[in-house]
Amino acid sequence: MNYFDLPLEQWTNDFVNGWLLPVTSGLFDRISDWIGAFIDGVTNLLIFIPPEIIAIVLILLAWKTAGKGVALFTLIGTIYLGSVDLWPESMQTLAIVLVSTIISVVLGVPIGILSAMNSIVNKIVKPILDFMQTLPIFVYLIPAILLFGLGGVPAVIATFVFAAPPAVRMTNLGIRQVPEEVVEASRAFGSTSSQLLFKVQLPLAIPTIMAGVNQTIMLALSMAVVASMIGAPGLGDTVLTGISTVNVGLGLTGGLGIVVIAIILDRITQGLGNKL
């Protein structure tokens, strides 16, 4: 099957080493500084706040959005994170997940809106999202390390690439699923395009958009262990240490911590989406 030689590897390396890094290194350094400051600010805030306050806030959120059962699980989960001395690592993981989710939603929802409103944009965005979702996770890490170094910043970038597609797709789907009768009635009463979007389509699409946010958070958490391979702090690093030292107990302890955070965030965001 080797009918001709395709030097894709050489072309890619020439592009990266000959143009991308020399020309755009300053831009990526500034982006790295901004995202790094954002991550540090969120992490320091979560660690500065007493654990009891964060636990109470999470329990109340769980109670209001998902019921007493989830609130009880949140209580048990937060006590577990403190009892195994993984609270700081949990807050580091939560900070990376929050920053990744915020960036994914801030960029993903507008792109999803544009995709729903414009078929040409949709045709352009759809294969890009397919590429982002099917490319192996570890492939994201190579350009992330090259452009942003090691630490939390490349972890956020790689997580964003992996976790953003659901936010785009679900926003697109939610707006397209608004009944045509509702859209036509709104137009008949003289609504402008912006009024139609912000007062009719987006409110009706919020449950679907929140489902996309929920999936974004879950995918971001699933990247915790992988991101630790490029220096991301948190529970993923605890699991990675357990793997590298063949410490089953340490790996299980960190892994259960990720499960606890995942279930709490999943139930809260699901409940919030159902109430909106």
Side-chain angles (χ1 to χ4, degrees):
M1 292 295 292
N2 188 14
Y3 299 119
F4 59 90
D5 183 33
L6 181 64
L8 180 60
E9 177 183 351
Q10 186 62 42
W11 290 347
T12 303
N13 291 334
D14 289 343
F15 170 73
V16 171
N17 298 322
W19 183 84
L20 184 63
L21 291 179
V23 174
T24 63
S25 60
L27 172 63
F28 287 114
D29 286 343
R30 286 193 291 272
I31 294 175
S32 180
D33 292 339
W34 295 336
I35 297 177
F38 191 12
I39 297 171
D40 291 341
V42 175
T43 303
N44 293 335
L45 177 63
L46 291 175
I47 293 178
F48 173 77
I49 298 174
E52 294 80 7
I53 300 298
I54 294 179
I56 291 172
V57 170
L58 289 175
I59 292 168
L60 290 176
L61 276 175
W63 192 352
K64 291 294 183 181
T65 59
K68 295 180 181 178
V70 178
L72 178 61
F73 176 84
T74 304
L75 172 62
I76 296 172
T78 51
I79 291 175
Y80 166 78
L81 292 175
S83 64
V84 294
D85 198 24
L86 286 178
W87 189 265
E89 289 81 0
S90 301
M91 294 302 100
Q92 291 172 334
T93 297
L94 184 59
I96 291 177
V97 170
L98 289 177
V99 172
S100 303
T101 302
I102 289 172
I103 295 174
S104 298
V105 171
V106 168
L107 296 179
V109 171
I111 294 173
I113 293 173
L114 288 174
S115 300
M117 306 295 288
N118 191 307
S119 59
I120 296 177
V121 174
N122 186 48
K123 290 178 181 178
I124 295 172
V125 169
K126 190 175 180 180
I128 296 175
L129 296 178
D130 293 339
F131 179 80
M132 292 168 66
Q133 288 187 296
T134 56
L135 194 68
I137 296 174
F138 289 97
V139 179
Y140 300 150
L141 306 183
I142 301 172
I145 293 171
L146 276 175
L147 299 175
F148 301 101
L150 297 174
V153 174
V156 167
I157 298 299
T159 302
F160 160 74
V161 175
F162 182 64
V168 180
R169 291 187 187 277
M170 297 302 281
T171 301
N172 185 353
L173 178 64
I175 293 177
R176 289 180 181 272
Q177 284 184 335
V178 174
E180 189 63 29
E181 297 83 2
V182 176
V183 175
E184 292 299 328
S186 177
R187 286 173 176 162
F189 282 101
S191 296
T192 64
S193 297
S194 60
Q195 290 173 330
L196 175 64
L197 175 63
F198 290 106
K199 295 185 177 182
V200 178
Q201 292 174 310
L202 279 180
L204 291 175
I206 280 180
T208 306
I209 294 174
M210 287 302 300
V213 173
N214 174 270
Q215 291 303 305
T216 296
I217 293 173
M218 293 300 100
L219 290 175
L221 269 170
S222 72
M223 281 286 288
V225 177
V226 177
S228 68
M229 296 180 179
I230 56 175
L235 294 172
D237 186 53
T238 302
V239 175
L240 184 64
T241 301
I243 294 173
S244 60
T245 59
V246 199
N247 188 333
V248 180
L250 182 63
L252 178 63
T253 301
L256 287 178
I258 295 175
V259 171
V260 166
I261 294 178
I263 293 176
I264 292 173
L265 294 180
D266 176 61
R267 298 301 185 269
I268 288 177
T269 52
Q270 276 188 2
L272 186 60
N274 293 332
K275 288 183 178 294
L276 290 176

